Amino acid sequence: MNSTGPAANDGLHLLPFRGLRYDAQRVGSLAAVTSPPYDVVVRPDGLNHLESADPHNIVRLILPQAATNGARHRQAAETLDAWLAEGVLTPEAEPALYVYEQRKGDVLQRGLIGALELSAPAEGVVLPHEDVMPHVIEDRAALMRTTAANLEPLLLTYRGNGSATGATAVIERTTLRAPVLATTTEDGFSHRLWAITDPADMERIAADLARHQALIADGHHRWATYLRLREEHPSPGPWNYGLVLLVDTARYPLQVRAIHRLLNRLPVADALAALDDRFRIRTLDEGTPLPSAMETLASAAAEGNAFLLTGADGRFHLLDRPDPALLARTVPADRPEAWRTLDATVLHATLIDHLWRIPDTPEHIAYIHDTEAAVGLASRRGGTAVLMHPVREEVVRDLARQGVTMPRKSTSFGPKPATGLVLRSLALG
């Protein structure tokens, strides 16, 4: 086991499953029925755009719209049943693992989609690195429970030796043949999918993955949901597994981006006034473009904690050099230094909890992946966008191996798998 985590585990167990896939003859296009992961869709604009792209867009399953939570989940289940009955979604004839490729310019990501055996964090097989929000787990659990389906894969990473051996060798050999699915989405990414059904290839993959542990790159809430549903179905069976995409980042490095905060009810002027000289504040020149502002943030973040604030005034305000005495009073001291100095830690412990006194609830704080969207929403709503600089992957992995979770929504790994290319029905085993 090439891991610094607990030795008492036997690695990753990725099983084939009978995937549900769209029938390309029954939809406008495969690209038109896909969606980003549920938590990346910026509502309502992104949701409406996806719903109008095709009447069978997967967003109608992952983000159904109805008056109550129960009605939403029932609607998703009824929609899924209808699409299966109509042949819009069809099950594969036999179980398979899937090679999944995403490509755009110089970015190339390849990995394996399958049903991964679930394990608790203490087992040291799958390592979370972020805290989760109970209300999100409750919602995702109700959706999965009602639909009896894993509607979108989590993104997990592991570290191979960087060579084309084991599972990676199978992946790269598989990509030399024709895919079962190929499409290009409006973000410019091409997506290709291959099915692996050869027993010898599956044995090679299983032997390789048994030596590894994985880091949850994207999907902490869905992983926690998988674990909750496993507790509800304790006997061995399909609920002991969850749909994932596994990527060897030694071979195919991921991009790590920040997740920004949108403070819906705090105007930027009030946010700045509350700092009371306990951070250095520099307002960038009027008309500074967003890319230049983010470069300024990156330079400041190389020296310590730094944040970029913007709102209805249209200006960018750089916060850095926090008062050390303030940090000592507000940041918990019972964690490793790498955790205490994270921007997300300082943002939540010092700024949000102590200086701004904002509850971490959906009506007060939204978590936005897209930088332009965060800026635009803050301007329209009169709130404050707090733009963040990303954390390095090695910091994330080291903290996870120590069993230390980062503040929720601290990182965004990508590219994220498109939702809608392959689904897993638990009714099929």
Side-chain angles (χ1 to χ4, degrees):
M1 171 78 63
N2 56 347
S3 157
T4 57
N9 64 64
D10 57 353
L12 301 165
H13 296 167
L14 190 69
L15 270 61
F17 67 103
R18 291 181 63 196
L20 298 180
R21 294 199 294 113
Y22 280 99
D23 183 341
Q25 304 303 314
R26 294 180 178 269
V27 297
S29 73
L30 292 174
V33 295
T34 64
S35 165
Y38 79 98
D39 58 340
V40 179
V41 178
V42 180
R43 303 168 73 173
D45 297 343
L47 179 66
N48 294 337
H49 172 71
L50 290 167
E51 286 186 331
S52 62
D54 189 283
H56 300 107
N57 189 284
I58 193 67
V59 78
R60 297 180 186 275
L61 299 184
I62 63 172
L63 288 173
Q65 299 301 293
T68 67
N69 287 340
R72 288 194 302 106
H73 303 141
R74 288 192 299 274
Q75 178 177 295
E78 291 168 359
T79 301
L80 177 58
D81 289 343
W83 290 357
L84 288 168
E86 296 164 8
V88 174
L89 285 170
T90 59
E92 300 278 29
E94 59 182 321
L97 294 176
Y98 296 88
V99 172
Y100 176 44
E101 176 190 277
Q102 293 166 272
R103 186 191 292 266
K104 180 181 179 181
D106 296 333
V107 176
L108 174 63
Q109 178 172 289
R110 288 173 176 159
L112 289 166
I113 294 178
L116 185 68
E117 184 176 17
L118 305 180
S119 59
E123 297 175 58
V125 180
V126 176
L127 305 175
H129 70 268
E130 288 185 355
D131 292 334
V132 293
M133 294 176 273
H135 75 277
V136 177
I137 297 170
E138 188 65 40
D139 178 71
R140 292 295 102 182
L143 180 63
M144 288 188 204
R145 191 184 298 118
T146 308
T147 59
N150 298 155
L151 301 172
E152 47 187 336
L154 285 66
L155 176 59
L156 273 61
T157 73
Y158 68 98
R159 298 287 293 180
N161 60 15
S163 65
T165 58
T168 300
V170 175
I171 290 171
E172 297 191 358
R173 186 173 66 252
T174 300
T175 60
L176 298 177
R177 55 182 170 86
V180 298
L181 178 156
T183 191
T184 299
T185 45
E186 64 180 7
D187 58 4
F189 271 96
S190 66
H191 306 262
R192 297 198 294 170
L193 197 73
W194 295 261
I196 298 175
T197 56
D198 181 77
D201 283 342
M202 291 191 186
E203 288 179 8
R204 294 186 188 97
I205 290 170
D208 186 12
L209 295 182
R211 301 183 296 110
H212 293 286
Q213 65 180 176
L215 174 74
I216 301 176
D218 186 69
H220 284 82
H221 289 91
R222 283 167 284 165
W223 183 260
T225 299
Y226 288 167
L227 294 178
R228 172 178 293 190
L229 294 174
R230 181 182 67 167
E231 292 177 359
E232 297 176 7
H233 303 81
S235 60
W239 296 94
N240 288 344
Y241 300 83
L243 186 64
V244 305
L245 166 64
L246 271 175
V247 175
D248 176 2
T249 54
R251 190 73 173 178
Y252 298 105
L254 296 184
Q255 300 171 322
V256 186
R257 294 189 172 92
I259 301 177
H260 310 297
R261 275 60 170 165
L262 175 61
L263 312 180
N264 290 308
R265 300 180 180 180
L266 181 68
V268 69
D270 294 347
L272 295 171
L275 299 180
D276 194 26
D277 296 329
R278 284 172 283 194
F279 281 74
R280 183 174 68 168
I281 303 172
R282 288 178 286 167
T283 299
L284 306 189
D285 292 340
E286 188 170 1
T288 298
L290 179 57
S292 297
M294 294 304 290
E295 289 176 5
T296 301
L297 173 62
S299 297
E303 305 296 326
N305 299 122
F307 311 94
L308 200 62
L309 271 57
T310 188
D313 65 354
R315 304 287 294 273
F316 292 106
H317 310 275
L318 181 67
L319 275 57
D320 65 356
R321 299 186 184 179
D323 177 5
L326 174 66
L327 297 183
R329 290 197 312 273
T330 57
V331 175
D334 59 346
R335 302 287 184 91
E337 176 71 11
W339 181 89
R340 288 186 282 115
T341 56
L342 288 170
D343 285 340
T345 298
V346 171
L347 172 61
H348 282 267
T350 303
L351 286 167
I352 290 176
D353 292 347
H354 182 74
L355 294 179
W356 293 332
R357 300 183 182 278
I358 299 173
D360 194 354
T361 58
E363 59 269 23
H364 286 276
I365 304 177
Y367 294 83
I368 310 294
H369 292 73
D370 184 85
T371 308
E372 291 185 4
V375 172
L377 287 168
S379 177
R380 292 195 295 273
R381 296 179 183 178
T384 297
V386 183
L387 307 181
M388 310 278 286
H389 184 69
V391 183
R392 300 191 316 277
E393 181 181 356
E394 55 266 31
V395 174
V396 177
R397 194 175 295 275
D398 287 346
L399 285 172
R401 285 174 171 163
Q402 295 176 59
V404 177
T405 55
M406 300 165 64
R408 51 183 171 254
K409 300 294 184 183
S410 293
T411 59
S412 176
F413 285 83
K416 301 179 188 302
T419 299
L421 299 181
V422 62
L423 290 63
R424 175 176 176 251
S425 169
L426 281 82
L428 295 175

